[in-house]
Amino acid sequence: MDHPRPCGCKGRRTCLSCEAEFGIVRSDFRSTFQNCESYVYCPLCNRIYPGWDVDQVMAEHSASPAAPHGGATGEEYGGVFIDLDFLSVEEETELMRTLDEIPWDVSQSGRRKQNFGPKTNFKKTRLKEGQFVGFPAATEFVQRRFESVPLLASFQTIEQCSLEYDPERGASIDPHIDDCWIWGERIVTVNLLSDSVLTMSLYRSADGKPKYNLQFVEQYRDRLLGQLTDEQSLACYENRIVRIPMPRRSLLVLYGSPRYQWEHSVLREDICDRRVCLAYREFTPMYLQDGSEFSQSEEIFKRAKLFWDHRKAALVS
């Protein structure tokens, strides 16, 4: 069933609605991952420790200040940045009030979305301005706050996407790597309304052909902020998964190896309450001001500096 279904899903992607209506058996990633050696990333010490339950591992850090995690040293897992208190309660409340005043569109795997960005064709590697005219003004403060995060000092938002995960629809997102032709190194997520988990699994090409336009990475590898892991070192992660907590109101940034060498997913079982995330994307170096494709992106950069009042836009439409 490669054509879109009424719920918005197509292909192997499913939600509770189309599974019931069409008798589709969903991919059970949780069972697959639980057969792997699982680790949890602790944002309090920026290391990974054996375990599946992110709350338990974080509690083990705080249980004994003199010897976090029972004295275990954990392992390094670079390319992850988490700010646990990126937004205040009041900011989250006002932000969600505004987002819910903007129409939501159906998406795959039980999600809904609001997309603000240029039109992209990943298969044909084509970029167009499309209907992109900037971002809702009520979200501008989030982008401005990125400037206070050293890792994001040079980040130029080109796409902002609101994604809603509702347990009543069985919402999730399958393991994937964000496109590498157009979207740059830093994958930025602001988590709202409830805690969740990002599950990382090592990417391996099944047929030797790269997916996700990974072949483009070699064109800008020397400009990456985070190092990629050599194959010999990656071998120790075979049959491992890493669980990264995404607490409510936190900021998460993936870069380097987790961005390009690991697939990330949100399991249905990790959505217990309504969750909304704001996902931000930047361009790859080819489309920056000194890049070979800047002529295609120059107008988009101009539009990305615009912020509009969603209430006035609703009146016009």
Side-chain angles (χ1 to χ4, degrees), residues 217-237:
V217 177
E218 287 303 317
Q219 295 187 28
Y220 51 83
R221 183 169 180 166
D222 60 340
R223 298 184 61 173
L224 297 182
L225 297 171
Q227 293 185 347
L228 300 186
T229 305
D230 63 82
E231 281 300 318
Q232 183 176 353
S233 300
L234 274 181
C236 71
Y237 291 105

Side-chain angles (χ1 to χ4, degrees), residues 138-149:
T139 67
E140 181 177 2
F141 81 96
V142 179
Q143 293 191 31
R144 296 289 172 254
R145 190 161 299 171
F146 291 163
E147 298 169 6
S148 67
V149 179

Side-chain angles (χ1 to χ4, degrees), residues 62-298:
S62 305
S64 176
H69 302 283
T73 57
E75 298 180 25
E76 291 187 1
Y77 188 75
V80 178
F81 172 82
I82 299 176
D83 182 339
L84 294 172
D85 300 300
F86 187 68
L87 297 181
S88 68
V89 174
E90 294 75 18
E91 288 170 334
E92 177 194 46
T93 299
E94 181 61 20
L95 190 56
M96 282 308 311
R97 183 190 66 78
T98 300
L99 291 177
D100 279 332
E101 291 176 349
I102 300 173
W104 289 90
D105 298 321
V106 296
S107 186
Q108 300 196 67
S109 302
R111 303 187 303 275
R112 294 197 301 170
K113 66 180 180 180
Q114 299 165 334
N115 196 70
F116 311 104
K119 188 175 182 180
T120 55
N121 187 318
F122 301 133
K123 290 185 178 180
K124 297 181 179 180
T125 61
R126 292 179 181 172
L127 175 69
K128 295 181 179 179
E129 294 93 347
Q131 302 298 313
F132 178 48
V133 291
F135 310 102
T139 67
E140 181 177 2
F141 81 96
V142 179
Q143 293 191 31
R144 296 289 172 254
R145 190 161 299 171
F146 291 163
E147 298 169 6
S148 67
V149 179
L151 179 61
L152 300 178
S154 62
F155 190 86
Q156 301 176 73
T157 298
I158 293 301
E159 182 188 67
Q160 174 182 302
C161 186
S162 315
L163 293 171
E164 180 197 60
Y165 293 74
D166 191 328
E168 293 186 1
R169 295 193 297 271
S172 64
I173 192 164
D174 289 357
H176 69 286
I177 292 175
D178 285 30
D179 182 83
C180 301
W181 150 67
I182 195 67
W183 301 141
E185 178 179 6
R186 291 164 289 193
I187 301 300
V188 179
T189 304
V190 177
N191 198 58
L192 305 171
L193 293 184
S194 64
D195 299 344
S196 192
V197 180
L198 196 69
T199 300
M200 311 293 294
S201 50
L202 194 62
Y203 168 69
R204 289 297 190 222
S205 175
D207 55 7
K209 297 180 180 179
K211 295 170 62 178
Y212 313 118
N213 282 323
L214 277 163
Q215 68 273 17
F216 283 92
V217 177
E218 287 303 317
Q219 295 187 28
Y220 51 83
R221 183 169 180 166
D222 60 340
R223 298 184 61 173
L224 297 182
L225 297 171
Q227 293 185 347
L228 300 186
T229 305
D230 63 82
E231 281 300 318
Q232 183 176 353
S233 300
L234 274 181
C236 71
Y237 291 105
E238 294 287 355
N239 201 42
R240 278 193 188 188
I241 58 111
V242 175
R243 307 252 297 158
I244 300 177
M246 296 189 292
R248 184 176 183 175
R249 295 185 296 277
S250 66
L251 167 73
L252 168 66
V253 184
L254 297 182
Y255 62 102
S257 182
R259 159 69 169 106
Y260 296 109
Q261 296 175 301
W262 295 71
E263 293 180 311
H264 59 272
S265 58
V266 177
L267 303 179
R268 178 180 293 180
E269 293 80 4
D270 287 322
I271 300 298
C272 300
D273 296 288
R274 186 191 183 204
R275 172 194 179 237
V276 170
C277 74
L278 297 182
Y280 293 87
R281 302 293 178 261
E282 62 181 337
F283 274 146
T284 48
M286 298 94 73
Y287 290 87
L288 299 182
Q289 190 167 4
D290 59 348
S292 59
E293 308 300 324
F294 181 63
S295 61
Q296 296 186 48
S297 59
E298 185 173 8

